[in-house]
Amino acid sequence: MRQGLDQFTVLQAAAELADAHGYEQLSLASLAKQLQIRTPSLYNHVKGMPGLKQALASYAVRKLKEALVEAIIGKSGDEALHALAFAYVDFVRRHPGIYEASMGAPDPLDPDFQTAGTEVVQLIMRLMESYQLEPEVAIHAVRGMRSIVHGFASLELRKEFNIELSKNESLHYAITAYLRGIQYVSRSSD
């Protein structure tokens, strides 16, 4: 076993491989080669390929949350949600492999994965507080926001936006329209 090798180092290397070559190309053999160790040594840190995929999914969601938190510091309301949306899509642009890992967790009910995902949802819920929505409506709003950014990022990742028009402007338009809808709902409930 290589000195200084731990699960975090293994996950970082797996993330680099997944982002560079695609999540589907990730294997224990390619990871061992990247780390300059023998494949059986990986079993000291992950429970085979399923364990690696599960750990990488949780790692990916935590990295996504870090990017979102950094983007919204000092912002609130519409500005914060725009920043969050752009940070989300930018994360997928920079980390397509681990984003795919986060969407393909072998066990979506794994406690570590659930905790990481819940933290992202709670972050968006806090941003929705400025709209003073009823609790149930706030959950719908968070689901809607997540659907927009995930859908946008996924379509872009799969090269579905082929018209020569700024993708960032399209994202801004979509988020602006969505936030206007939330503001309308918020005013209607008064």
Side-chain angles (χ1 to χ4, degrees):
M1 183 168 65
R2 193 177 95 188
Q3 243 355 36
L5 190 63
D6 58 16
Q7 187 181 40
F8 185 74
T9 304
V10 169
L11 289 175
Q12 282 183 311
E16 289 171 13
L17 283 172
D19 286 340
H21 304 291
Y23 178 63
E24 294 302 320
Q25 300 303 312
L26 181 63
S27 68
L28 293 179
S30 64
L31 180 56
K33 183 177 179 183
Q34 172 84 1
L35 292 167
Q36 300 176 343
I37 60 172
R38 294 181 39 223
T39 303
S41 298
L42 287 172
Y43 287 88
N44 293 317
H45 307 287
V46 293
K47 295 176 182 168
M49 199 61 194
L52 175 62
K53 287 184 172 186
Q54 190 66 50
L56 191 58
S58 296
Y59 172 87
V61 176
R62 281 196 190 85
K63 296 303 275 184
L64 173 61
K65 181 190 170 212
E66 288 174 15
L68 300 178
V69 167
E70 186 176 316
I72 64 168
I73 290 174
K75 297 175 179 74
S76 63
D78 288 3
E79 181 186 19
L81 285 162
H82 270 96
L84 180 129
F86 276 88
Y88 191 107
V89 171
D90 186 56
F91 179 86
V92 177
R93 289 171 178 162
R94 290 182 295 111
H95 301 290
I98 66 170
Y99 185 71
E100 186 103 7
S102 75
M103 294 294 122
D107 180 5
L109 300 178
D110 172 75
D112 191 43
F113 183 72
Q114 284 283 304
T115 298
T118 298
E119 290 174 2
V120 171
V121 171
Q122 289 172 341
L123 175 67
I124 302 170
M125 284 291 281
R126 282 194 301 276
L127 295 181
M128 290 291 176
E129 288 173 0
S130 65
Y131 299 98
Q132 300 174 339
L133 302 170
E134 295 295 322
E136 189 174 294
V137 176
I139 292 170
H140 292 311
V142 169
R143 286 177 177 171
M145 183 71 171
R146 290 180 67 206
S147 298
I148 291 169
V149 293
H150 168 69
F152 192 97
S154 296
L155 288 168
E156 183 179 304
L157 190 60
R158 286 167 176 65
K159 312 281 188 247
E160 297 287 334
F161 296 141
N162 295 316
I163 297 172
E164 288 298 318
L165 190 63
S166 169
K167 293 179 203 73
N168 285 344
E169 284 182 33
S170 294
L171 179 59
H172 185 269
Y173 178 86
I175 297 302
T176 299
Y178 186 70
L179 294 178
R180 285 185 181 157
I182 290 173
Q183 291 163 0
Y184 175 79
V185 169
S186 177
R187 284 192 304 271
S188 298
S189 63
D190 289 341

